[in-house]
Every structure is written in structure tokens, then in C-alpha cells.
């Protein structure tokens, strides 16, 4: 039995109406999923961020083909882990008001000392290992294309380790600053850094302090009245100096290998 022209017209009209509705529903579902993922990822604590980053680095190492040079596989896995960790940190601090910064520093980041020590030591060790890797590769008969890729990956890994170290110090400064101190009845937290202005510092302020100290070896317009903070800043400055020494040595080694 043939369908009447009116029924065909109604079915075509229904399809034309349902298609935009389906597209709209898909967009709403996608937007909701992205917001939920952003909310979950931006509220992770330091241990969870580290665990996810290690997992991603291991996955990146395993999915690389066996034909790829072993050193390059290690560098790619290290870079993947660093990018994952830094991305999760940026998601956390982007919408962090001073009040949220204080809450997260006192609760979510309060037990991150072990993570801080582990990440900083690993980053410093990676810088030394990358320099040693370059020195060893210069003595081997490696194809020029493979060596060029390794040099590029080494440069990215060094930059990533540098960002990772100063980011971890920024998070640690925030945790030490907002550490609960019941002896301080006026504020209720330890403090230790004197930022200009009257507003409470957020994560971006601690990033500013950490990267300024790491790049220039001085504290700019932020003073450090606390003894414990000065000791932490001293260690930060020494690690930054170590970074620049290894980076300079690696640069000289790479340049000599290319000649």
C-alpha cells in the first residue's frame, strides 16, 4: 500500500524538525560532560594528580613502537607525564579565588609534602639524567635523524622539568602560607610571605613568587618575614642554580656534538 503525499510530507517535516533537536541534545550532552570532567579534574589532590601523570607516562612508553630508540621512548613518556601534571594544576588554579586557594591549601594540598619532595627530586634527577644521556649518545654511532629527535625531545623535557619544579614550589608555598596556625588568632593561618596589597593571595600570586625567584634569584616586591619560608626560598634558589648549571653544561655538550 503506497503512502499518500500528505504522509510523506509529514514524515519529511518530522525528520527536519528532529535533526536540529538531535544536534542540540548532543551539544548539551557534550557541554555537560565537559563541565563535569573539568569539575572533577580541577578538584584533584596532589597524590591523585601524580598518580594520573605516572599512569599516562607509562601508557605513552608502552604504546611507542619497539623500533623507536629507547632513549626517545623514555623522553616521550617523561614529557607526557609532565604535561599531564601541569595541565591538571592549571585547571585547578584557573578558577581558584583566594578563598578557594586557602581551602584547597589547607585540605586538598595539606598532605602533599611527600609528593612535593618526590616530584622535585625526580625533576632534578631527570635534568642530570638527560645531560648524561646526551653525553653517552654523542659517543655512540646513532643516525643523525635519531640524534636530532633526541636533542629536540631533550630540550622539551628540560623545559618541562623546569616548569614542573617551580610549579611544585608554588603549590608548596601556598600550602605553607595557609597552613592552619591556631596561635595566630588574627588570621588563623601561618602566613610568612608579605604580598603587596590587602587582598589574600591566590595560586597565581604564589606562581608569580615562585617563578620570579626561580628566574631572577630574587624576590622582587614580595618580602619573606618568616624564618621557615626563608629556608624554603634558600633551597628553591639552590635548586634553580643547579638547574641552570646542568642546562648550560647540556647546551655546551649538544653544541660540541653537532660540530
Amino acid at each position: 500500500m503506497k503512502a499518500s503525499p500528505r504522509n510523506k510530507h509529514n514524515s519529511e517535516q518530522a525528520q527536519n524538525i528532529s535533526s536540529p533537536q538531535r544536534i542540540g541534545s548532543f551539544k548539551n550532552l557534550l557541554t555537560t560532560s565537559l563541565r563535569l570532567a573539568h569539575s572533577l579534574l580541577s578538584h584533584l589532590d596532589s597524590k591523585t594528580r601524580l598518580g594520573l601523570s605516572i599512569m599516562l607516562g607509562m601508557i605513552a612508553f608502552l604504546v611507542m613502537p619497539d623500533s623507536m630508540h629507547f632513549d626517545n621512548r623514555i623522553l616521550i613518556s617523561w614529557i607526557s607525564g609532565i604535561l599531564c601534571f601541569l595541565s591538571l594544576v592549571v585547571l585547578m588554579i584557573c578558577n581558584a579565588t583566594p578563598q578557594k586557594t586557602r581551602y584547597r591549601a589547607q585540605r586538598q594540598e595539606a598532605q602533599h609534602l611527600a609528593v612535593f619532595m618526590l616530584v622535585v627530586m625526580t625533576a632534578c634527577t631527570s635534568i642530570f639524567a638527560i645531560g648524561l644521556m646526551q653525553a653517552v649518545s654523542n659517543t655512540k654511532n646513532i643516525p643523525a635523524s635519531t640524534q636530532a629527535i633526541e636533542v629536540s625531545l631533550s630540550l622539551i623535557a628540560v623545559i618541562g622539568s623546569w616548569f614542573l619544579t617551580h610549579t611544585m614550589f608554588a603549590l608548596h608555598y601556598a600550602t605553607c602560607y595557609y597552613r592552619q596556625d591556631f596561635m595566630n588568632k588574627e588570621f588563623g593561618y601561618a602566613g610568612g610571605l608579605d604580598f603587596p596589597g590587602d587582598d589574600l593571595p591566590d595560586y597565581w600570586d604564589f606562581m608569580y613568587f615562585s617563578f620570579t625567584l626561580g628566574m631572577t634569584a630574587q624576590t622582587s616586591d614580595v618580602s619573606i618575614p618568616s624564618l621557615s619560608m626563608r629556608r624554603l626560598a634558600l633551597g628553591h634558589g639552590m635548586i634553580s642554580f643547579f638547574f641552570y648549571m646542568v642546562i648550560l653544561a647540556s647546551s655546551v655538550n649538544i653544541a660540541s656534538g653537532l660540530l
Side-chain angles (χ1 to χ4, degrees), residues 4 20 23 43 49-50 61 71 86 89 91 101 123-124 136 143 152 156 163 165 174 180 214 222 230 242-243 255 258:
S4 63
I23 295 175
H43 288 82
R49 285 195 298 269
L50 179 61
F61 180 82
D71 293 346
L86 293 178
V89 171
L91 285 176
T101 300
C124 295
V136 173
S152 301
I156 297 173
F163 273 97
T165 301
Q180 290 183 344
V222 181
R230 287 197 296 271
F242 167 77
F243 258 81
L258 295 177

Side-chain angles (χ1 to χ4, degrees), residues 5-233:
R6 179 178 297 179
N7 292 336
K8 289 183 178 180
H9 177 73
N10 292 336
S11 62
E12 291 176 357
Q13 189 176 13
Q15 290 178 358
N16 292 333
I17 295 175
S18 60
S19 296
Q21 291 178 347
R22 291 177 181 175
I23 295 175
S25 300
F26 176 76
K27 288 182 178 179
N28 292 334
L29 179 61
L30 180 61
T31 302
T32 303
S33 301
L34 291 176
R35 288 178 178 175
L36 179 60
H38 179 271
S39 177
L40 291 175
L41 294 176
S42 62
H43 288 82
L44 299 176
D45 58 12
S46 56
K47 295 179 181 179
T48 307
R49 285 195 298 269
L50 179 61
L52 290 176
S53 302
I54 292 175
M55 289 177 58
L56 181 62
M58 294 175 63
I59 292 173
F61 180 82
L62 294 175
V63 299
M64 291 295 106
D66 295 336
S67 58
M68 180 177 289
H69 197 265
F70 184 74
D71 293 346
N72 292 343
R73 294 175 66 186
I74 293 178
L75 289 172
I76 290 175
S77 62
W78 175 247
I79 293 170
S80 301
I82 290 178
L83 290 178
C84 177
F85 191 91
L86 293 178
S87 299
L88 293 175
V89 171
V90 170
L91 285 176
M92 180 188 68
I93 68 177
C94 273
N95 298 322
T97 62
Q99 290 74 23
K100 289 182 179 179
T101 300
R102 179 178 179 178
Y103 175 83
R104 291 174 180 174
Q106 291 180 347
R107 289 168 175 80
Q108 292 183 339
E109 305 293 328
Q111 304 297 327
H112 90 300
L113 179 60
V115 176
F116 166 74
M117 297 294 294
L118 176 63
V119 172
V120 171
M121 290 176 62
T122 303
C124 295
T125 305
S126 70
I127 295 294
F128 178 77
I130 291 170
L132 182 62
M133 187 185 301
Q134 289 295 322
V136 173
S137 64
N138 288 338
T139 61
K140 295 181 179 179
N141 188 15
I142 300 176
S145 59
T146 302
Q147 189 171 9
I149 295 175
E150 184 173 331
V151 169
S152 301
L153 291 175
S154 299
L155 178 61
I156 297 173
V158 168
I159 295 174
S161 299
W162 184 84
F163 273 97
L164 177 64
T165 301
H166 297 310
T167 300
M168 286 304 300
F169 267 100
L171 298 179
H172 193 60
Y173 284 128
T175 301
C176 294
Y177 184 90
Y178 283 118
R179 184 180 68 250
Q180 290 183 344
D181 186 3
F182 297 104
M183 298 297 294
N184 190 341
K185 297 181 180 179
E186 182 179 359
F187 299 108
Y189 55 86
L193 295 175
D194 189 7
F195 290 92
D198 299 328
D199 297 331
L200 288 175
D202 59 10
Y203 276 120
W204 288 114
D205 293 311
F206 294 107
M207 293 284 282
Y208 163 76
F209 174 76
S210 178
F211 278 87
T212 300
L213 182 61
M215 290 185 291
T216 65
Q218 61 181 357
T219 58
S220 185
D221 55 348
V222 181
S223 60
I224 313 176
S226 170
L227 176 61
S228 59
M229 282 292 195
R230 287 197 296 271
R231 291 175 177 174
L232 180 60

